[in-house]
Amino acid sequence: MKTRMRFTKTGSVKFIGHLDCMRFFQKAFRRAKLDVAYSQGYSPHQLMSFASPLGVGATSDGEYLDVEFHSLPDMPLPELVEYINQFMTEEIFITEMEIMPDGFKNSMSLLRAADYLVVEKRPGIFPPDWKERWEQFVNQPAIPVIKKTKRAEKEMDIKPFLLAYSMDKEEFSRRTGQDYGRIHCEFLSDDEERESLYLQLTSGSEVNIKPELVLDAFFAFCGQECPPYSCQFHRLQMYFAPPKKKEAPHE
């Protein structure tokens, strides 16, 4: 029985890496005494995979985890989510869970795009008149950047992969069709006015554009350098391609 879970990762947990996050879920499922499926061999491990590992320091309301179970407790899924969350924390917890159909491919292979929030950690980080400069930035014929990989560096145009943007949460929600009511980002507070930017970017195994890359390109366009660790990157949602249907055999 394959399942997909959506979870939130905020607060101090943002400083733990991907492997520690995986161990956290493994231990939580064991404490909950869930019948998780294990791999075969000399070193069995729980059958789970993440759609896209979150970078250290980033937070999220839209992380996805695929887990395979032999069986699940006989209760509605919302109640099961509440039960599992008893073995988790206030900074990392499950918000949704669904049972996937037979032949389901893991989320990592189906990932196509993601929504992000970029918010200042303190006022005054974004350039002056940045909203007007941003419109000039995205209306360029092309947005060339140097994208670094583990093996090399290459120049690419990221404009086709910037799918949507807005400076306003309600407007971005309308554009993306998502309900972004409450966002678990510690820097979205009412006591200080911080600038924020909402982005929808292409993500996945073929092309993966990070918001840090877009922000660095924007600051370079403004003739400035983005100070390190000056902005909080918060992932809001991921989008997955529907699995391809098998063609019927010809008679």
Side-chain angles (χ1 to χ4, degrees), residues 50-183:
F50 291 76
S52 179
L54 192 65
V56 175
T59 54
S60 177
D61 279 323
E63 296 304 286
Y64 285 87
L65 169 69
D66 297 333
V67 188
E68 188 170 344
F69 297 91
H70 290 300
S71 63
L72 287 172
D74 186 15
M75 63 177 71
L77 289 182
E79 294 183 13
L80 181 57
V81 168
E82 292 183 7
Y83 169 71
I84 298 175
N85 283 338
Q86 296 178 28
F87 304 92
M88 309 192 81
T89 73
E90 295 181 353
E91 295 181 333
I92 180 168
F93 56 91
I94 299 169
T95 56
E96 298 176 19
M97 180 178 179
E98 60 180 321
I99 298 175
M100 308 308 294
D102 294 336
F104 163 74
K105 292 185 178 180
N106 62 47
S107 300
M108 183 178 294
S109 64
L110 300 175
L111 180 62
R112 293 295 180 268
D115 291 346
Y116 294 93
L117 164 66
V118 182
V119 59
E120 298 174 318
K121 289 186 177 179
R122 63 179 186 277
I125 297 299
F126 280 34
D129 302 325
W130 75 274
K131 294 182 179 179
E132 291 78 9
R133 300 298 301 274
W134 173 263
E135 295 295 340
Q136 299 171 6
F137 171 72
V138 296
N139 287 322
Q140 297 178 95
I143 306 177
V145 301
I146 301 297
K147 193 172 188 295
K148 297 180 180 180
T149 64
K150 293 182 179 179
R151 297 182 178 180
E153 298 180 357
K154 65 175 182 179
E155 182 175 328
M156 67 178 299
D157 177 17
I158 63 172
K159 183 172 182 177
F161 309 115
L162 205 168
L163 306 178
Y165 67 88
S166 180
M167 296 83 172
D168 179 74
K169 181 176 69 173
E170 284 70 25
E171 180 184 1
F172 189 71
S173 296
R174 290 193 297 269
R175 290 185 178 183
T176 60
Q178 299 291 333
D179 181 14
Y180 291 130
R182 181 187 178 189
I183 298 176

Side-chain angles (χ1 to χ4, degrees), residues 3 15 34 60 103 108 145 158 173 184 198 200 223 226:
T3 65
F15 296 114
L34 297 179
S60 177
M108 183 178 294
V145 301
I158 63 172
S173 296
H184 296 86
Y198 295 84
Q200 184 177 97
C226 183

